[in-house]
Amino acid sequence: MTAGLDTDPDLLDLLGQTGLGRPETAVPLTHEGRNAAWCGITSTGARIFAKRVAGRAAVERSVRFEQLAPARPLTPPLLAHADDLLVFALVDAENANGLAGDDGLETAHAERMGAAVAELHRLGSGTPEAPLLPTSADLRRLPLASFVAASAGELAFWSLVQPDTEMHAAVDVLRRHPAGVPARPIHGDLRLDQFLVGGDQVWLTDWEEFRFGDPARDIGAFVGDWVLRAALAVSNGVDELGHDRFLERFTGEMDRVRPFLHAFRAGYRQVREWDEHQCVRAAAYAGWHMFERLNATAAASVFLTALHRAAAGIGRAALLRPERFLTVLGLR
């Protein structure tokens, strides 16, 4: 189902000002996001995807990317923007996360995703921007307003993170841009559900966190998404499984998803160098990505399952000792 953005007066004004017409025939969204959105065909025949984002800064980052790579087929073209609205050309595609869940994603798709991310990373270099990571001080404290608004699942998750000084130190290391590594254009919020797949074409979407930073951030996020998928596919009966049985099943799930990680690496290497130091940082980012996604899951939960705690343990291990996990994570 699509959200009701097709009747939003701000969107109607934007579409009118840019000559795109008015929303008419709706097309079901292939993936529901957290933002109000509408996709379909307008009165002028334009096929569009429109969404409201979290403020003007998110729009400005999306526009920055469009200006950096206007002629490259990395993403559906940005047709119009204003305030907190973005309007893109609608492409005939499905969300990669949904395809993966239905076993419809192929390793050839993952290879093209790797090539697309490498194309992004070679668009130029710039000054490193603020990293999308908390400080160790942020991880030690929970503001009162956040505490009051938190779900029980988030508070349980926070109880894992707050006292973990080793993890805090590892995140502080990731916050520092690595010496000698040029800051490259990065997506900044890379997940499997940010990719669209249509036939042989792959598009990368959602540029609200676009910036110049460490390319390992994007690589690690892609890997971390697959590792979390493998961990959560094991079983919700982790308590009954026991530690050894859980690891056995997790290893089996990693064997199943690793071809996608190898394909991503192969696609990336066709376009851009894949070096050892970048791989170590990417493994650490993969661990952090798992924490980020688990926290997002906890926001809608009344408790953390044993499975979620086990997945957090895997993420922590990769974050603290990334050099030990390069082969397991398909980075080597």
Side-chain angles (χ1 to χ4, degrees), residues 70-84:
R72 293 175 181 262
L74 281 172
T75 192
L78 179 61
L79 302 178
H81 61 88
D83 298 325
D84 59 352

Side-chain angles (χ1 to χ4, degrees), residues 266-287:
Y268 192 99
R269 292 178 66 181
Q270 291 171 14
V271 177
R272 189 172 182 269
E273 181 182 2
W274 182 278
D275 67 81
E276 181 79 5
H277 295 298
Q278 177 175 260
C279 290
V280 174
R281 297 195 310 276
Y285 272 117

Side-chain angles (χ1 to χ4, degrees), residues 121-196:
H121 292 168
R122 73 171 188 174
L123 285 177
S125 59
T127 302
E129 297 179 54
L132 296 162
L133 290 161
T135 65
S136 55
D138 294 330
L139 295 171
R140 288 195 302 269
R141 64 189 178 213
L142 183 63
L144 179 60
S146 299
F147 175 82
V148 171
S151 70
E154 284 178 297
L155 294 178
F157 182 84
W158 190 256
S159 71
L160 296 178
V161 173
Q162 189 174 29
D164 194 342
T165 55
E166 278 193 293
M167 190 192 101
H168 303 169
V171 173
D172 274 343
V173 170
L174 276 185
R175 282 183 55 83
R176 296 193 291 270
H177 190 83
V181 176
R184 299 288 185 180
I186 65 171
H187 185 277
D189 189 28
L190 197 68
R191 304 189 304 270
L192 198 56
D193 64 7
Q194 309 286 35
F195 287 97
L196 298 176

